Structure formats: structure tokens, C-alpha cells
Amino acid sequence: MPELLTTDEAADYLRLSERKLYELVANREVPCSKVTGRWLFPRTALDRWVSAGLIAPAGLAQVAPPIVGGSHDPLLEWGLRESNSGLASLAEGSEEGLRRLTRGEVMVAAIHLHRLDGDDERANVEAVADAPGLHDAVVLGFARREQGILVASGNPLDLSDMASIATSRARMAQRPPGAGSQLLLLALLARAGIALDDLKLAKPAFPTGPDIAQAIRAGRIDCGIATRSVAKSAGLDFLPVTWERFDLVMRQRDYFMKGPQALFEFMRGSSFRDRAGELGGYDVSDAGTVRLVN
């Protein structure tokens, strides 16, 4: 069990007045929990909270804007609204989200990265651990998602995998460079021994999975990679490919900010789990789990 401090003990430990500590509690800016009517403060969490403020580089000392950058996800979009987190969304792809996080342009980056060798379980964690400028990052699990190939209802071209897409000359969607789904497409092609140029690629790139779904429904393309939840909401057929980790990355000092904390608390609730089940293709059993502290 972690060592828990009472309010007066925590105030003494942090060298703050109890009034100031209660102000931080009210604004959800300090790690704590309420048990039988009393506020308790885990000492180790307080240590991380203090350290996060001390080790931030001078150029990044300002508060990041309340934006979740990186990858698009329907469950995340819904959670941002329903949690009253006050966090906006800027969906530009996983790698761009990490770049913006490094530059202090977003508070959180949502990522799902893939490796050519197929070892994807730790791809997100390893990318953050090795990223220059993210030495003070935290990676939190959001969900596991099922990714696959979206095709029109009834699968009229009888597609099954990358080889069938290449040989049939089906019009294939692509995503912007650095987007997680584009990285998955490149990995699938590499494992099948197929070059990207062997596909009949639609241009320009599609920003999100729902954009791909709409293009398939409109008959402008034949297939594309997205999640089961996107296929289900659009009434399209879904060819499952893999389950992936979809994680949230932020700096340690921002982990305790009011917006992210509101989202994390919401992720632990039953309505979040129920919504994931309704959308389909999600496993949220590890939602909120800390996967890395740099």
C-alpha cells in the first residue's frame, strides 16, 4: 500500500498552507483521493507531481494549450465531450501529435504506432521513451482497438487481404504520412512483400477513418484501413487485421492538470465502458493504466 498523508501532513510535506492545498484540491491540480470523507495524498504521487514541475525545460515551462493532438478516435472524441474536460481535439496523425507535444503546442498526444516487424505491443512506449525532448513524458493506456480493412457492404470485390487488394486493383485509401493507420498499412505491405506502388492508391490522403468510410459509401474508393467502430457506425463490412494499443501521452506536469484529470476520471466510469461496447471493437480494461513514466 502507498504511504498516504492527511491534509495537514501533506501541507507540511509540500510546505504549503492548508488553504493553498485545498485550493489545489478543488482545482484538481494535486494528486489525492477522498476516503470516508477525508482527503488523502499518496506520498509517491506527490513526489512525482513536485518533480514534474522542477525538471521541465525552461522553454516548455508555460502551460500547454488544452488540446489533444495526434490520432483521431470516435471513443476519445466522445469522451472529451462527455467528461467536460475542456480539452479540444486536433487530429493530424500519431507522429505529428508527438511532434506538437514536443514543441508544447498540445497538452496530450493520442498515438497508435506500428512496426514493420510486427512487434507492436510496445511500439508506443518505445517511441516515446526514445523521442528527443520527451524525457518527462507519461504514457497512459486509453484502449485497445481492432483495426481492419473497410469495404462496401457485402464486400462486392471479395477482398480479404493486401494481396487481394493489389491484384484486384481496388481503389485503396491512404492516410497522411506518420498517421498510425498509414504506418499499419506500410507494415502490412512489408509483411506481405508488396510495394506501396503496387496498390491503386486514392489521392489525396484521407485525414480520418470516418473520411474513408464516407468515401467508400459514396463509391469514390473501394477500401481503406480504419477501426471496427468506424465500420460499424457507417454500415460497412469489416475485415479484421489486428488489435492495437491506443495510448495518451503527456508531460508529467500536465498529467495533474484539471482537463486531463477530468478525462481520466471519466475513463474509469461505467458510461465510458458502456459506450465502448456500443461502438464495438474496443477493449478498455486497461484504460487509465500508466504504461510509462520517463
Side-chain angles (χ1 to χ4, degrees), residues 144-147 227-229 232 243 276-277 279-283:
R144 287 178 179 272
R145 310 189 308 179
E146 192 175 18
Q147 285 268 31
T227 61
R228 179 180 289 277
S229 64
K232 182 178 178 181
W243 284 83
L279 290 172
Y282 288 101
D283 174 0

Side-chain angles (χ1 to χ4, degrees), residues 94-95 112-114 116 178-188:
S94 296
E95 291 186 347
H112 60 113
L113 301 172
H114 295 269
L116 295 180
S181 294
Q182 186 69 6
L183 297 176
L184 176 57
L185 171 61
L186 296 176
L188 293 174

Side-chain angles (χ1 to χ4, degrees), residues 125-136:
V125 167
E126 291 173 352
V128 173
D130 296 338
L134 289 181
H135 61 280
D136 57 338

Side-chain angles (χ1 to χ4, degrees), residues 122 124-126 128-129 137-140 289-294:
R122 293 186 54 81
N124 294 344
V125 167
E126 291 173 352
V128 173
V138 179
V139 179
L140 254 73
T289 300
V290 176
R291 303 193 61 224
L292 172 72
V293 179
N294 259 359

Side-chain angles (χ1 to χ4, degrees), residues 68 72-89 142 246 248 259-269 271-273 275-276 279 282 284:
V68 178
H72 174 268
D73 178 77
L75 181 60
L76 176 59
E77 291 280 350
W78 178 84
L80 292 175
R81 294 194 305 270
E82 295 298 313
S83 64
N84 295 316
S85 66
L87 297 170
S89 177
F142 180 80
F246 189 87
L248 303 178
Q261 282 297 311
L263 176 62
F264 304 155
E265 182 177 352
F266 184 76
M267 287 161 52
R268 293 190 287 269
S271 60
F272 180 77
R273 295 191 297 271
R275 182 64 172 180
L279 290 172
Y282 288 101
V284 296

